[in-house]
Amino acid sequence: MLPIVYHPNYSCPFPSDHRFVMRKFVDLYQQVLKLGLIAPDQNNLYTPHAATIENLACVHDVAYLQSLVGNKVDQKAWRRVGLPWSQGLVDRTLTAPNGTLLSARLALQKGLACHLAGGTHHAHIDFGSGFCMINDLAYTAQTLLQNGEVKRVLIFDLDVHQGDGTAAILQDQPNAFTCSIHCQKNFPFRKQNSDLDIGLEKGLEDAAYLQVVAKTLNQLLNEFQPDLVLYDAGVDIWQGDDLGHLNISSQGMVERDELVLSTCLKQHVPVATVIGGGYDQDVLRLARRHAVVVEAAAHLYHQYF
Ligand SMILES: [Zn+2]
């Protein structure tokens, strides 16, 4: 069965009226369980352990990490993160990056794996931003490259917001290719330079969107020849998302995830997925949307492996 990565600390105690839906992780886990995609007798659920400051120092500033863990980030910088500090928040923030790393390693072994969290792509080297404190994508890519576990990684970021932190952190890492396809007129308003940025117009619809995704991915797989794709399947592209400005239908999202995963698998390139952003006060609806990429992956895993 498809390897799935999750930790019970992902949904820490949190204000329920906050725009960031902290309970979406446990809701997603329960949704995936309900869909029968986790089976206790198949051992396909994997649990990461927390990363240390030493681990994360390959992509983050140590003084920043220490101030984050000790609740010593100055107020102005902390406002940029937009989340209330708590020990629970720190625990989940240190664990989730290793969840993405574990998913990537499982993908390298088995072809495909899904993380029920991750995609904190607005975290920079020495500051957090937009609900992100540690950049799991940059951390995973850099760790695998440093250890010689891969030669080239493609980060294919389809969250509706630009992956600015990932682009900035990995700008001098030639073996990690950062591609962000996002809505141009949206947060972050000061963009960074990914290796490839495609800024879409507000209100773009399914057919045009899927065409851009397909063309870009095919081109990158052929030209960059990655050993691994980290796919950020952010669902804030959905037409009803609270923070997105694209007009992608539910069916369009299903087609996107199937397209991305099947394109990689057809070319024998392993893929690890992270959930990325998604904003909706209807939490069950949000969990179902984040489950779409896992459902698509489970279906293709069955077909390919
Ligand atoms: Zn987003």
Coordinates of all heavy atoms in Angstrom, one line a residue, residues 93-133:
T93 N 6.2 21.9 14.6 CA 7.1 22.6 13.7 C 8.4 21.9 13.5 O 9.0 22.0 12.4 CB 7.2 24.1 14.1 OG1 6.0 24.7 14.1 CG2 8.1 24.9 13.2
L94 N 8.9 21.3 14.5 CA 10.2 20.6 14.4 C 10.0 19.1 13.8 O 10.9 18.5 13.3 CB 10.9 20.4 15.8 CG 11.3 21.7 16.4 CD1 11.9 21.5 17.8 CD2 12.3 22.5 15.6
T95 N 8.7 18.6 14.0 CA 8.5 17.3 13.5 C 8.1 17.2 12.0 O 8.6 16.3 11.3 CB 7.3 16.7 14.3 OG1 7.6 16.8 15.7 CG2 7.1 15.2 14.0
A96 N 7.3 18.2 11.6 CA 6.8 18.1 10.2 C 7.9 18.1 9.1 O 7.8 17.4 8.1 CB 5.8 19.2 9.9
P97 N 9.0 18.8 9.3 CA 10.1 18.8 8.3 C 10.7 17.4 8.1 O 11.0 16.9 7.0 CB 11.1 19.7 8.8 CG 10.4 20.7 9.7 CD 9.3 19.9 10.3
N98 N 10.8 16.6 9.2 CA 11.2 15.3 9.1 C 10.2 14.3 8.5 O 10.5 13.3 8.0 CB 11.7 14.7 10.5 CG 13.2 14.9 10.7 OD1 13.9 15.3 9.8 ND2 13.6 14.7 11.9
G99 N 8.9 14.7 8.6 CA 7.9 14.0 7.9 C 8.0 14.1 6.4 O 7.9 13.1 5.7
T100 N 8.4 15.3 6.0 CA 8.6 15.5 4.5 C 9.9 14.7 4.1 O 9.9 14.0 3.0 CB 8.7 17.0 4.2 OG1 7.5 17.6 4.5 CG2 9.0 17.2 2.7
L101 N 10.9 14.8 4.9 CA 12.2 14.0 4.6 C 11.9 12.5 4.6 O 12.3 11.8 3.7 CB 13.2 14.4 5.7 CG 14.6 13.7 5.5 CD1 15.2 14.0 4.2 CD2 15.5 14.1 6.7
L102 N 11.1 12.0 5.6 CA 10.8 10.6 5.6 C 10.0 10.2 4.4 O 10.2 9.2 3.7 CB 10.0 10.3 6.9 CG 9.5 8.9 7.1 CD1 10.6 7.9 7.1 CD2 8.8 8.8 8.5
S103 N 9.0 11.1 4.0 CA 8.2 10.8 2.8 C 9.1 10.7 1.5 O 8.9 9.9 0.7 CB 7.2 11.9 2.6 OG 6.4 12.0 3.7
A104 N 10.1 11.6 1.5 CA 11.0 11.6 0.3 C 11.8 10.3 0.3 O 12.0 9.7 -0.8 CB 11.9 12.8 0.4
R105 N 12.3 9.9 1.4 CA 13.1 8.6 1.5 C 12.2 7.4 1.1 O 12.6 6.5 0.4 CB 13.7 8.5 2.9 CG 14.9 9.4 3.0 CD 15.6 9.2 4.4 NE 16.8 10.0 4.4 CZ 17.3 10.7 5.4 NH1 16.6 10.7 6.6 NH2 18.4 11.4 5.3
L106 N 11.0 7.5 1.6 CA 10.0 6.4 1.2 C 9.7 6.4 -0.3 O 9.7 5.3 -0.9 CB 8.7 6.5 2.0 CG 8.8 6.2 3.5 CD1 7.7 6.7 4.3 CD2 9.0 4.6 3.7
A107 N 9.6 7.6 -0.8 CA 9.4 7.7 -2.3 C 10.6 7.1 -3.0 O 10.4 6.4 -4.1 CB 9.1 9.1 -2.7
L108 N 11.8 7.4 -2.6 CA 13.0 6.9 -3.2 C 13.0 5.4 -3.2 O 13.5 4.7 -4.1 CB 14.3 7.5 -2.6 CG 14.5 9.0 -2.9 CD1 15.6 9.5 -2.0 CD2 14.8 9.2 -4.4
Q109 N 12.5 4.8 -2.1 CA 12.5 3.3 -1.9 C 11.4 2.7 -2.7 O 11.5 1.7 -3.3 CB 12.3 2.9 -0.5 CG 13.5 3.0 0.4 CD 13.0 2.8 1.9 OE1 12.0 2.2 2.2 NE2 13.7 3.5 2.8
K110 N 10.2 3.3 -2.6 CA 9.0 2.6 -3.1 C 8.3 3.3 -4.3 O 7.4 2.8 -4.8 CB 8.0 2.6 -2.0 CG 8.5 1.7 -0.8 CD 7.6 1.9 0.4 CE 8.1 1.1 1.6 NZ 7.9 -0.3 1.6
G111 N 8.8 4.5 -4.7 CA 8.3 5.1 -5.9 C 7.4 6.3 -5.6 O 7.3 7.3 -6.4
L112 N 6.6 6.2 -4.5 CA 5.6 7.3 -4.2 C 5.3 7.2 -2.7 O 5.2 6.2 -2.2 CB 4.4 6.9 -5.1 CG 3.2 7.9 -5.1 CD1 3.5 9.3 -5.5 CD2 2.1 7.3 -6.0
A113 N 5.1 8.4 -2.2 CA 4.8 8.5 -0.7 C 4.1 9.8 -0.5 O 4.4 10.8 -1.2 CB 6.0 8.4 0.2
C114 N 3.2 9.9 0.5 CA 2.5 11.1 0.8 C 2.6 11.5 2.3 O 2.5 10.7 3.2 CB 1.0 10.9 0.6 SG 0.5 10.6 -1.1
H115 N 2.9 12.8 2.5 CA 3.0 13.3 3.8 C 1.7 14.1 4.1 O 1.3 14.9 3.2 CB 4.2 14.3 3.8 CG 4.5 14.8 5.2 ND1 5.2 16.0 5.4 CD2 4.1 14.4 6.4 CE1 5.3 16.2 6.7 NE2 4.6 15.2 7.4
L116 N 1.1 13.8 5.2 CA -0.2 14.5 5.6 C 0.1 15.9 6.2 O -0.7 16.3 7.1 CB -1.0 13.6 6.5 CG -1.3 12.2 5.9 CD1 -2.3 11.5 6.8 CD2 -1.9 12.2 4.5
A117 N 1.1 16.5 5.8 CA 1.4 17.9 6.3 C 2.5 18.4 5.3 O 2.7 17.8 4.2 CB 2.0 17.8 7.7
G118 N 3.2 19.5 5.7 CA 4.3 20.0 4.9 C 3.9 21.0 3.8 O 2.7 21.2 3.5
G119 N 5.0 21.6 3.2 CA 4.7 22.6 2.2 C 4.8 24.0 2.9 O 4.2 24.9 2.4
T120 N 5.6 24.1 3.9 CA 5.8 25.4 4.6 C 6.8 26.3 3.9 O 7.9 26.5 4.3 CB 6.2 25.2 6.1 OG1 7.2 24.2 6.2 CG2 5.0 24.8 6.9
H121 N 6.4 26.7 2.7 CA 7.4 27.2 1.7 C 7.7 28.7 1.9 O 8.5 29.3 1.1 CB 6.9 26.9 0.3 CG 5.5 27.5 0.0 ND1 4.9 27.5 -1.3 CD2 4.6 28.1 0.8 CE1 3.8 28.0 -1.2 NE2 3.5 28.4 0.0
H122 N 7.0 29.4 2.8 CA 7.3 30.8 3.1 C 8.4 31.0 4.1 O 8.7 32.1 4.5 CB 6.0 31.6 3.5 CG 4.9 31.5 2.5 ND1 5.1 31.9 1.2 CD2 3.6 31.2 2.6 CE1 4.0 31.7 0.5 NE2 3.0 31.3 1.3
A123 N 8.9 29.9 4.7 CA 9.9 30.1 5.8 C 11.3 30.3 5.1 O 11.6 29.6 4.1 CB 10.0 28.8 6.6
H124 N 11.9 31.4 5.5 CA 13.2 31.8 5.0 C 14.4 31.3 5.9 O 14.1 30.7 6.9 CB 13.3 33.3 4.8 CG 12.5 33.8 3.7 ND1 11.1 33.7 3.6 CD2 12.8 34.4 2.5 CE1 10.7 34.3 2.5 NE2 11.7 34.7 1.8
I125 N 15.6 31.6 5.5 CA 16.8 31.2 6.3 C 16.7 31.6 7.7 O 16.9 30.8 8.7 CB 18.1 31.7 5.6 CG1 18.3 31.1 4.3 CG2 19.3 31.4 6.6 CD1 19.4 31.7 3.5
D126 N 16.3 32.9 8.0 CA 16.4 33.4 9.3 C 15.1 34.2 9.8 O 15.2 34.9 10.7 CB 17.6 34.3 9.5 CG 17.7 35.5 8.6 OD1 16.7 35.6 7.7 OD2 18.6 36.3 8.7
F127 N 14.0 33.9 9.1 CA 12.8 34.4 9.6 C 11.6 33.6 9.0 O 11.7 32.9 8.0 CB 12.6 35.9 9.3 CG 12.5 36.2 7.8 CD1 11.2 36.3 7.2 CD2 13.6 36.4 7.0 CE1 11.1 36.6 5.8 CE2 13.5 36.7 5.7 CZ 12.2 36.8 5.1
G128 N 10.5 33.6 9.8 CA 9.3 32.9 9.3 C 8.3 33.9 8.7 O 8.5 35.1 8.9
S129 N 7.4 33.4 8.0 CA 6.4 34.2 7.3 C 5.2 33.4 6.9 O 5.3 32.2 6.6 CB 7.1 34.8 6.1 OG 6.2 35.5 5.2
G130 N 4.0 34.0 6.8 CA 2.8 33.4 6.2 C 2.6 32.0 6.8 O 2.4 31.0 6.0
F131 N 2.5 31.9 8.1 CA 2.2 30.6 8.8 C 3.3 29.6 8.7 O 3.1 28.4 9.0 CB 0.9 30.0 8.3 CG -0.3 30.9 8.3 CD1 -1.2 30.8 7.2 CD2 -0.5 31.8 9.3 CE1 -2.3 31.6 7.2 CE2 -1.6 32.6 9.2 CZ -2.5 32.6 8.2
C132 N 4.5 29.9 8.2 CA 5.6 29.0 8.0 C 6.8 29.4 8.8 O 7.2 30.6 8.8 CB 6.0 28.9 6.5 SG 4.7 28.5 5.4
M133 N 7.4 28.5 9.5 CA 8.6 28.8 10.3 C 9.8 28.0 9.8 O 10.9 28.5 9.8 CB 8.4 28.5 11.8 CG 7.4 29.5 12.4 SD 6.5 28.8 13.8 CE 5.2 27.9 12.9

